[in-house]
Amino acid sequence: MIVTHDRNSRFHGRRNKALLTGLLAATLALTACGTAGGNPVPSVGYQGFTPPSLPALGRLGQPEGRLSVLAWPGYAEDGSDDPKVDWVTPFEQQSGCKVDVKAFGTSDDAISLMKTGQYDVVSASGDASLRLIAAGDVEPVNTSLVPNYADVFGFLKNQPWNSVDGTPYGIPHGWGANLLTWRTDKVSPAPTSWSVLFDPNSKYKGRITAYDSPIYIADAALYLRAHRPDLGIKNPYALDSTQFQAAVDLLKKQRPLVSDYWSDYLTESRSLTTAGAVVGTAWQMTVNVTKDDGVPLESTVPSEGATGWSDTWMVASRSQHKTCAYLWLNYIVSPKVNAQVAEYFGEAPANAKACAATVDPTHCATYHAADAAYASKIAYWTTPISQCLDGRTDVKCEDYGAWTQAWADIKG
């Protein structure tokens, strides 16, 4: 998932767009071809997916004095970018742990960086978390050492992207949906189905914007689950060879309809504002920012449902600063800080008590933070693995390596 610091313009305008656009532009090619840091992203052997046997921390010790944080931009602000936006310094003062923050641009970047063993904690999206677990780069988390975990919404806990066989591997942090958005002055009637993007006869051919990532194959699978029941798709991240090929074929047919693919919200916002795009898949913050610029835009979760993300803070198995790591996990999901990050980042907070701490009293309503029914419509990003995540054992499913190769072929 590509993100930026500056999602909710109602609080901090358009600061840092140039800097972040440069960062994001530098990673677009990596996302499209499934590379990180210029190196091919390995396809981890998930056969049977038995995680390495790693223990969770049993008890907290004396804080080690240092913590290296690997995070999506906007998740670990230290005031260096904006003195008014700083939740790292208070943590340092409270814990005695000096924090170094490294921002990454894509999940594949995070995978490569974690392999160096230089980081103690990472904020991982669902398209990265299982890869980190399978590689042994992160370890189970002892949630009893994270008191604020008790207040995390139940529908975010023990999910396929943050746990394995009931063992938690991280602390949920925030989440959001990949919405269908459209310009109300250009698109009529208001669409209620993803068919407006996938129908080869869509009247908006050449004016459609779509997400640029191998994980977008899941959006096609989600659509096929509703419109091709004969394929038997249950989970858009668990696709056998036949189901996978159907999703790939659909995206190849969609390719001529798409005017541009985006990996950061600024690119899509510009497309919807001035570049001729009128409909596409988007994040809630994209909708908010673009509407704030005066563009008549609306969005919805279509009848077929939607994909989305739920990010998780995870502890590196090779960390030498695990007490500091746990203090960070508890701090970053505390009500006040989780509220600050959620507003700054533009997502729903994970901590239920954070909703009472947001500056904007409507933030949680806008992002459906406490709405379990809304959340149930979302198929959260989960790393595709060869062991089918829908429970089938008589077939193998296509893993993330296959998804990456297929995406390069789709894009051409």
Side-chain angles (χ1 to χ4, degrees):
M1 178 182 63
I2 303 278
V3 296
T4 68
H5 292 273
D6 203 10
R7 286 188 171 189
N8 197 327
S9 62
R10 286 173 293 180
F11 295 97
H12 32 268
R14 301 292 186 272
R15 52 173 285 302
N16 242 4
K17 281 192 174 183
L19 171 64
L20 292 167
T21 299
L23 167 67
L24 295 166
T27 63
L28 293 184
L30 302 181
T31 304
C33 62
T35 62
N39 300 316
V41 176
S43 174
V44 179
Y46 290 105
Q47 303 295 337
F49 190 45
T50 300
S53 180
L54 296 169
L57 187 68
R59 62 181 178 84
L60 298 181
Q62 185 69 22
E64 302 87 355
R66 298 198 66 84
L67 183 70
S68 183
V69 175
L70 185 61
W72 287 112
Y75 269 7
E77 291 298 301
D78 61 4
S80 60
D81 192 36
D82 183 344
K84 297 179 181 179
V85 182
D86 183 0
W87 37 85
V88 168
T89 300
F91 170 76
E92 291 178 325
Q93 295 169 343
Q94 294 174 24
S95 67
C97 304
K98 175 66 176 176
V99 177
D100 294 312
V101 179
K102 169 71 174 179
F104 60 85
T106 72
S107 287
D108 288 345
D109 289 339
I111 295 292
S112 285
L113 289 167
M114 283 296 290
K115 291 187 181 304
T116 68
Q118 298 176 12
Y119 303 96
D120 299 302
V121 294
V122 59
S123 62
S125 293
D127 57 339
S129 52
L130 292 190
R131 286 188 280 166
L132 291 169
I133 294 170
D137 292 326
V138 296
E139 66 186 29
V141 168
N142 183 347
T143 58
S144 68
L145 301 180
V146 186
N148 285 311
Y149 182 76
D151 297 318
V152 170
F153 289 110
F155 57 80
L156 298 176
K157 296 179 178 179
N158 297 317
Q159 296 298 324
W161 59 88
N162 59 29
S163 67
V164 178
D165 294 332
T167 298
Y169 275 79
I171 305 299
H173 178 80
W175 60 278
N178 298 317
L179 304 168
L180 173 62
T181 191
W182 67 95
R183 286 189 56 138
T184 58
D185 60 336
K186 305 289 185 180
V187 175
S188 182
T192 59
S193 167
W194 290 111
S195 61
V196 70
L197 305 187
F198 289 116
D199 186 340
N201 298 314
S202 173
K203 62 181 179 180
Y204 303 108
K205 179 179 180 179
R207 294 183 289 169
I208 291 172
T209 179
Y211 189 52
D212 189 359
S213 170
I215 208 69
Y216 185 59
I217 294 172
D219 290 63
L222 190 77
Y223 178 78
L224 290 172
R225 185 175 68 178
H227 295 271
R228 286 282 310 277
D230 58 295
L231 290 170
I233 296 174
K234 297 179 181 179
N235 182 326
Y237 305 99
L239 305 177
D240 61 36
S241 58
T242 300
Q243 296 165 337
F244 183 71
Q245 191 59 52
V248 170
D249 289 345
L250 179 62
L251 289 169
K252 287 182 176 179
K253 291 177 181 177
Q254 185 199 44
R255 182 69 182 89
L257 307 178
V258 176
S259 59
D260 65 282
Y261 290 93
W262 62 276
S263 291
D264 72 278
Y265 85 96
L266 297 177
T267 297
E268 185 183 30
S269 183
R270 284 193 296 268
S271 294
L272 291 165
T273 303
T274 62
V278 299
V279 64
T281 181
W283 296 325
Q284 181 65 55
M285 64 87 181
T286 314
V287 177
N288 293 349
V289 167
T290 309
K291 289 177 70 173
D292 283 349
D293 282 339
V295 179
L297 206 66
E298 289 299 335
S299 63
T300 190
V301 172
S303 58
E304 300 92 349
T307 61
W309 77 89
S310 176
D311 290 343
T312 305
W313 282 103
M314 311 181 88
V315 177
S317 57
R318 288 184 281 175
S319 170
Q320 299 299 308
H321 312 109
K322 290 184 180 177
T323 292
C324 282
Y326 271 79
L327 294 177
W328 172 263
L329 263 57
N330 190 55
Y331 170 82
I332 202 67
V333 295
S334 61
K336 180 180 178 180
V337 180
N338 196 212
Q340 291 175 327
V341 177
E343 285 194 285
Y344 187 69
F345 192 88
E347 65 180 357
N351 190 318
K353 293 181 178 178
C355 289
T358 56
V359 175
D360 177 3
T362 68
H363 179 85
C364 281
T366 298
Y367 288 88
H368 303 273
D371 190 343
Y374 179 88
S376 70
K377 300 177 183 178
I378 301 173
Y380 296 98
W381 285 346
T382 307
T383 308
I385 61 177
S386 60
Q387 179 187 1
C388 294
L389 296 170
D390 58 8
R392 287 178 293 169
T393 57
D394 57 336
V395 296
K396 290 184 179 179
C397 284
E398 302 291 348
D399 69 8
Y400 189 76
W403 286 49
T404 300
Q405 294 171 9
W407 185 246
D409 188 36
I410 291 164
K411 292 286 297 296

